[in-house]
Amino acid sequence: MVAPATLRVVRCGGSTLHGARAVFSADSYLLCASGDFVKMYSVATEETLRLMGGHADLVTGIQLNPHNHMQLYSSSVDGSIKLWDFMDGIPIKTFVVGSKLLALYTLARCEDSVFVVIPKHGERDTFQLVSVKLTKAAGQDLEAKELSVVLDGVDASPKRIAFGREGEYVASVKGINLQVYFFKQKQLNRFSVSATKTKSGNNHFTCIACHPTEDCIATGHADGKIRLWRNFYHKKEYTFSTLHWHHDTVMDLAFSMEGTSLLSGGAESVLVLWHNESDCQKDFLPRLGSAIEYISMSSDGALCCTLHTDNRITIINSNLRFSKSIQGLIKSTDVKTGLVVDPRTKALVLNGEPGHLQFYCLQSDQQLFSLDIVQRQYIHQAGLNQADLVKVAFSAQGKWLATVEEREEVTDPELQLKLWFYDEETQSFKLNTRINMPHEDHITDMCFRNMDELEDDSLILVTAGRDCVFKVWVMVEDTDPEAQQSVSWSCDFVGSYHNYQATNCCFSEDGSLLAVSFEETVTVWDSVTWDLKCTFCHPPGKIRNICFGRLTCSKYLIGATDYGFLCCWNLLSCALEWSAHLNVLVLQPDPLSEHIAAVSWLSKESSLFVFKPNEPRPIYIQRNLCKEKIQLAAFVPRDEPEMIGSEKYLWLRRSQLFFLTDTQELMTLSTKSLEERLTPSSKQLAVEESLAVTPFSLLLGKHRRQQSQEDTDLGKLVVHNKHEQDSPAVKELLHTPAHVLPSASFLCPIFINSLLISKENKSAEEVADEVEMESEKTEDDSDEERDVTETEQEDTSPMELLGEMTCKLSKSQEKELRKIRKMDYSWISAF
């Protein structure tokens, strides 16, 4: 039995990848901050190799250890700096600073200190750049309280501070001011640009970068200009030149490793490469998808990467050619589609890029693919009404996908209902039917009837709208000879109730009943005849969510009102079973069990209630689930049922609950500790079995134990295993250093011969067989004599007189019996 564990709310992915500048390792791994984790990606395969967790809040900066390129520093808002061995994903030391750390910098010349940005004590929105001395004392958790202020009045953004040539100076920008501090001279120079040079005052600094070998500072500005500052050792004789291509804010700058070129990026989604700091020599890499937030260079200058506002990482070659792209969860301002689970891939499906549907893999924290629904060019212009994706629904097996897109107009909305069919050959969805204006007003909900999809006649789609009707759509044969598909969708039935707006709809588990809510009333319809069977209501308040019970609770219908009531109706008695005063925002049933999750919002606090419809008392309650307001939730089926130690967490055994907050953070509930979730299974196995954590010990040790167990079960002596372990050839091969080993052609015959079993080392079974054969030969000569003497002898014991004496066999009979025992009778099992 697994020991009971507490349920934790954890970030499961979807965290912002552009919270801090990414870092290339010396062997071309890419490290970046993701929420309160640090991720390590393979540049070659785009896979997530390591997920390093330990910070209690957002990671704000990562830097390689300049004295050991296999180690990494990370800073967090939780006030700690961690030193990692990122190849193994193991934290080496934790330095507790105490203050919130907003940015992190390292210098090769400073062996035992790093630089961080912290809030200035006692002043609001004022920050300082300080040097933190990292103690070398023994222990893993250490305090780092020795701070020295380097610059005062800096900006909190990490891209607005940069260190110059070999750490000779540090430059910082804020507003319209530039300040440069020289470490050796302990001199501080301040410069400023005019804020009234343009009408809108867009001369404000936005980012800064320093030349790696020369005394040159590049600054980006809100008006799209780039200024190159020189001779800034003097307060009055400084000079600067201007580069201009960006029409909007320059969001980040980065020099190449040699300093011969400068990279810039902004809202245009274009990476600009400036050659020799000249306005005339520049190259472009356009159409990168979204605004560029950060630019990073590898130490050898062969690669660079850009972090984008849509949670994408783009890896680019030195010749400005696209190489790889790592797409995380795209954060939308408003997730109108809700959280939907794809039955095929078990991926979360929700709004992605404008007009697109993103399929997000929860295991890899990456986007599987994006489906263009609107199929129109999106124009980045404020105040422009464009088509947007608002509703999505999958059929039970994922063969059909229904989407609704709308464009808000002043007079009438523009609506389109699209039905997509999954093509097995192309492994993608293809548009089957497009229906213009399926309703006269906005569509509020839609759902498929979850029945066997082998029969296409049973597949039904229902849409509910503000035009006070719900419509039933069915598949019909396409009679158009020019049509590319054999079936299409058309309206089969239109239902209404007292001219009320239809707000929600859902089918029962067996598909026989359809529930449609009309403002304060829930109506139940027969899905075959479309007759109205019964109605339920619980005034006051309109129905916000409805769902049917499942499995043993399929006779219940659950509804939540916007007035703060959760109701359960019995479909057999057509009566209210129970009700609870609860302001439910999210009502989500588990597709694999009877459990239903309800998330409430009260007094700025989100709470989770898990219950079965047949029991009014919740089986699990989690108060203060998270700080943010939960907007959406979804149960995702597990690949394999999880071992749950506590009975009150059994509702998580077959499915996992995910929820999305109003800040676009994807959360989940887990009974595992942080170490269990981050430690690979192979290492957990090694630790549990007290083995050395080496691939060879895991492979060879596990194989030997398994082989030994099999041999023991068969009653055999494992002579060859012992022989292998005692073989000097094997020991010499494994323990001799590689650089002094002879050639493989010399070692191979010795190694093969050592694996052969010599005739002197015979197994116990072979020896027993030989002894038995020799005894049989000697017995054949004296069988006749012994048979005569044995038959003449009589035993007159009392047991024999009572008839309880077991008959003794002669030697010849025993010999025959032994032969019979050795015969193979396995052929009898075939009859």
Side-chain angles (χ1 to χ4, degrees):
M1 190 69 175
V2 181
T6 58
L7 206 59
R8 298 174 179 85
V9 180
V10 296
R11 288 187 179 92
C12 60
S15 299
T16 301
L17 296 174
H18 55 84
R21 196 183 303 275
V23 173
F24 282 97
S25 68
D27 41 5
S28 295
Y29 292 113
L30 182 64
L31 299 128
C32 70
S34 177
D36 47 3
F37 294 94
V38 178
K39 287 187 175 182
M40 184 173 78
Y41 293 99
S42 169
V43 175
T45 64
E46 307 173 19
E47 291 180 307
T48 305
L49 302 179
R50 292 283 183 273
L51 182 64
M52 293 171 278
H55 286 291
D57 212 325
L58 296 178
V59 177
T60 56
I62 55 173
Q63 294 287 341
L64 289 177
N65 184 354
H67 306 286
N68 187 343
H69 292 291
M70 305 300 289
Q71 295 178 355
L72 178 82
Y73 285 108
S74 65
S75 63
S76 172
V77 181
D78 63 3
S80 67
I81 299 173
K82 287 185 178 291
L83 178 63
W84 302 87
D85 178 354
F86 59 83
M87 293 303 296
D88 292 328
I90 300 172
I92 301 173
K93 286 183 181 294
T94 300
F95 303 94
V96 180
V97 181
S99 302
K100 289 184 178 181
L101 308 181
L102 306 176
L104 174 69
Y105 310 92
T106 57
L107 286 180
R109 58 181 294 178
C110 301
E111 184 176 355
D112 57 350
S113 62
V114 296
F115 297 86
V116 294
V117 175
I118 62 173
K120 188 174 183 179
H121 182 69
E123 297 186 24
R124 189 177 180 181
D125 297 331
T126 305
F127 305 95
Q128 296 175 318
L129 176 67
V130 299
S131 174
V132 181
K133 186 175 179 58
L134 304 180
T135 177
K136 294 185 178 180
Q140 190 169 4
D141 295 328
L142 305 171
E143 288 193 356
K145 302 296 184 182
E146 189 175 340
L147 309 179
S148 57
V149 179
V150 178
L151 278 179
D152 208 349
V154 300
D155 197 280
S157 175
K159 64 177 71 174
R160 295 179 182 176
I161 296 177
F163 287 82
R165 175 175 52 86
E166 297 179 355
E168 293 290 332
Y169 59 89
V170 58
S172 169
V173 293
K174 183 179 181 181
I176 59 172
N177 298 312
L178 165 66
Q179 52 182 346
V180 183
Y181 178 76
F182 302 93
F183 288 100
K184 288 185 178 180
Q185 296 84 359
K186 294 183 179 181
Q187 176 185 350
L188 178 63
N189 291 346
R190 289 187 174 92
F191 311 95
S192 63
V193 294
S194 174
T196 59
K197 189 173 182 179
T198 59
K199 295 181 180 179
S200 57
N202 281 336
N203 264 353
H204 287 75
F205 290 97
T206 56
C207 55
I208 187 172
C210 293
H211 199 285
T213 58
E214 299 177 4
D215 292 333
C216 175
I217 298 175
T219 58
H221 298 261
D223 58 0
K225 292 182 180 179
I226 300 172
R227 288 180 170 86
L228 299 174
W229 302 73
R230 295 183 181 276
N231 201 26
F232 43 81
Y233 285 95
H234 305 281
K235 293 184 178 181
K236 294 183 179 181
E237 288 81 6
Y238 69 91
T239 61
F240 67 80
S241 58
T242 303
L243 307 175
H244 195 191
W245 178 86
H246 298 275
H247 80 276
D248 208 335
T249 302
V250 179
M251 300 185 72
D252 200 18
L253 295 167
F255 278 98
S256 63
M257 301 310 297
E258 299 84 6
T260 56
S261 58
L262 175 68
L263 291 167
S264 65
E268 304 87 0
S269 307
V270 178
L271 184 64
V272 184
L273 178 64
W274 307 83
H275 296 282
N276 301 319
E277 303 170 8
S278 172
D279 202 1
C280 301
Q281 301 179 15
K282 52 183 177 291
D283 293 320
F284 306 95
L285 181 61
R287 294 183 292 276
L288 291 178
S290 64
I292 297 173
E293 190 74 32
Y294 284 99
I295 303 173
S296 301
M297 294 291 300
S298 63
S299 57
D300 58 359
L303 296 171
C304 76
C305 80
T306 55
L307 307 187
H308 300 261
T309 54
D310 66 348
N311 240 16
R312 179 189 289 116
I313 302 174
T314 304
I315 301 173
I316 302 164
N317 294 326
S318 58
N319 57 359
L320 217 62
R321 294 295 181 91
F322 173 84
S323 176
K324 297 285 190 307
S325 178
I326 302 171
Q327 178 66 69
L329 180 66
I330 298 177
K331 304 297 185 69
S332 301
T333 55
D334 187 12
V335 184
K336 298 179 180 179
T337 61
L339 286 183
V340 185
V341 180
D342 179 16
R344 287 179 173 271
T345 60
K346 296 181 182 178
L348 279 185
V349 181
L350 65 161
N351 291 98
E353 299 177 31
H356 288 67
L357 203 59
Q358 63 172 324
F359 290 71
Y360 171 74
C361 180
L362 294 161
Q363 286 73 28
S364 62
D365 190 21
Q366 293 185 26
Q367 186 185 103
L368 294 180
F369 62 94
S370 179
L371 182 63
D372 188 1
I373 301 296
V374 176
Q375 297 179 343
R376 297 180 187 175
Q377 182 66 36
Y378 185 80
I379 302 173
H380 294 271
Q381 182 177 341
L384 184 63
N385 291 330
Q386 301 183 73
D388 197 8
L389 184 62
V390 294
K391 297 293 177 186
V392 61
F394 284 93
S395 59
Q397 304 299 325
K399 287 175 59 177
W400 287 92
L401 167 67
T403 60
V404 176
E405 59 192 67
E406 66 179 32
R407 183 168 64 177
E408 191 71 39
E409 295 292 344
V410 178
T411 55
D412 297 322
E414 182 180 314
L415 301 175
Q416 274 194 352
L417 172 64
K418 292 181 179 178
L419 279 302
W420 307 74
F421 178 76
Y422 188 80
D423 189 354
E424 295 288 350
E425 294 183 359
T426 60
Q427 294 289 301
S428 62
F429 285 95
K430 288 187 175 181
L431 182 61
N432 177 270
T433 305
R434 179 190 288 110
I435 303 170
N436 292 319
M437 294 304 296
H439 287 259
E440 296 179 1
D441 206 340
H442 295 282
I443 294 177
T444 56
D445 200 4
M446 67 176 177
C447 62
F448 280 96
R449 181 166 69 174
N450 291 329
M451 295 182 68
D452 189 7
E453 292 186 21
L454 297 178
E455 299 179 5
D456 291 337
D457 297 338
S458 65
L459 198 58
I460 292 175
L461 175 68
V462 174
T463 57
R466 294 182 186 174
D467 54 353
C468 304
V469 299
F470 71 91
K471 292 186 178 182
V472 180
W473 307 86
V474 296
M475 279 192 296
V476 296
E477 293 185 2
D478 201 333
T479 58
D480 187 1
E482 298 181 359
Q484 296 180 357
Q485 62 269 358
S486 59
V487 296
S488 60
W489 290 76
S490 66
C491 184
D492 183 63
F493 177 77
V494 179
S496 62
Y497 184 78
H498 292 293
N499 205 29
Y500 292 148
Q501 288 186 356
T503 54
N504 297 277
C505 62
C506 67
F507 278 98
S508 60
E509 184 179 12
D510 59 358
S512 60
L513 296 176
L514 170 69
V516 183
S517 63
F518 291 89
E519 297 185 6
E520 296 182 358
T521 307
V522 180
T523 60
V524 181
W525 306 73
D526 190 323
S527 64
V528 178
T529 62
W530 301 114
D531 293 334
L532 180 61
K533 291 297 183 180
C534 60
T535 60
F536 302 106
C537 65
H538 193 281
K542 296 181 180 180
I543 302 296
R544 180 182 287 167
N545 299 295
I546 57 173
C547 68
F548 280 95
R550 301 182 64 85
L551 302 177
T552 60
C553 302
S554 59
K555 64 179 181 179
Y556 298 103
L557 177 64
I558 312 298
T561 68
D562 58 4
Y563 200 75
F565 280 96
L566 180 65
C567 308
C568 177
W569 293 283
N570 192 319
L571 296 172
L572 299 181
S573 62
C574 297
L576 180 67
E577 190 79 9
W578 55 265
S579 66
H581 190 62
L582 198 64
N583 184 26
V584 177
L585 295 182
V586 178
L587 189 66
Q588 187 65 38
D590 182 6
L592 300 181
S593 69
E594 301 94 343
H595 301 103
I596 298 176
V599 179
S600 69
W601 176 255
L602 184 63
S603 301
K604 296 182 180 181
E605 179 182 294
S606 293
S607 300
L608 173 66
F609 299 86
V610 180
F611 63 94
K612 291 184 178 180
N614 58 354
E615 299 176 5
R617 186 182 298 274
I619 62 174
Y620 178 76
I621 300 176
Q622 175 80 31
R623 302 282 186 183
N624 194 14
L625 192 62
C626 63
K627 300 177 183 178
E628 298 87 6
K629 187 177 182 180
I630 295 175
Q631 291 183 328
L632 303 166
F635 275 101
V636 178
R638 299 182 188 272
D639 294 331
E640 294 181 0
E642 187 173 344
M643 296 296 295
I644 304 294
S646 177
E647 291 185 2
K648 65 179 181 178
Y649 304 144
L650 287 178
W651 58 278
L652 285 172
R653 185 172 180 268
R654 301 189 63 186
S655 299
Q656 190 172 2
L657 179 63
F658 295 86
F659 47 90
L660 194 70
T661 65
D662 54 356
T663 57
Q664 306 300 306
E665 290 291 338
L666 190 62
M667 306 282 193
T668 189
L669 297 169
S670 176
T671 57
K672 295 182 180 180
S673 64
L674 180 66
E675 291 76 12
E676 290 175 331
R677 288 188 287 112
L678 298 181
T679 304
S681 57
S682 60
K683 290 189 178 181
Q684 291 181 6
L685 179 66
V687 172
E688 291 172 2
E689 298 179 355
S690 300
L691 294 176
V693 186
T694 62
F696 185 77
S697 65
L698 289 174
L699 178 63
L700 186 61
K702 196 72 177 175
H703 172 73
R704 284 179 176 172
R705 283 191 298 274
Q706 183 179 1
Q707 185 67 34
S708 176
Q709 183 65 32
E710 292 176 357
D711 292 347
T712 304
D713 295 340
L714 296 174
K716 297 181 179 179
L717 297 175
V718 193
V719 180
H720 58 278
N721 276 3
K722 183 179 179 182
H723 182 74
E724 289 177 8
Q725 295 173 3
D726 296 338
S727 171
V730 176
K731 288 184 178 180
E732 183 180 0
L733 179 64
L734 296 179
H735 296 287
T736 305
H739 64 280
V740 296
L741 275 175
S743 64
S745 61
F746 177 78
L747 286 176
C748 186
I750 301 175
F751 179 69
I752 295 299
N753 291 330
S754 69
L755 299 179
L756 299 177
I757 300 174
S758 62
K759 293 183 178 180
E760 290 77 8
N761 296 331
K762 296 179 180 179
S763 64
E765 198 170 286
E766 292 176 348
V767 173
D769 289 341
E770 292 181 2
V771 172
E772 191 173 345
M773 292 299 294
E774 292 176 359
S775 63
E776 288 179 0
K777 292 180 181 179
T778 57
E779 287 172 0
D780 290 340
D781 299 334
S782 59
D783 274 344
E784 296 180 0
E785 298 177 359
R786 291 180 180 178
D787 290 344
V788 174
T789 57
E790 287 174 358
T791 53
E792 290 179 352
Q793 292 177 354
E794 293 182 358
D795 192 355
T796 57
S797 64
M799 296 299 292
E800 185 180 0
L801 294 175
L802 291 174
E804 299 179 4
M805 180 62 184
T806 305
C807 296
K808 290 186 177 180
L809 300 177
S810 64
K811 291 293 183 180
S812 60
Q813 290 173 332
E814 290 180 357
K815 182 181 69 174
E816 293 295 330
L817 183 60
R818 284 196 296 270
K819 291 181 179 179
I820 293 173
R821 287 175 178 171
K822 293 179 181 179
M823 293 182 66
D824 185 15
Y825 296 97
S826 60
W827 57 272
I828 301 178
S829 61
F831 296 95

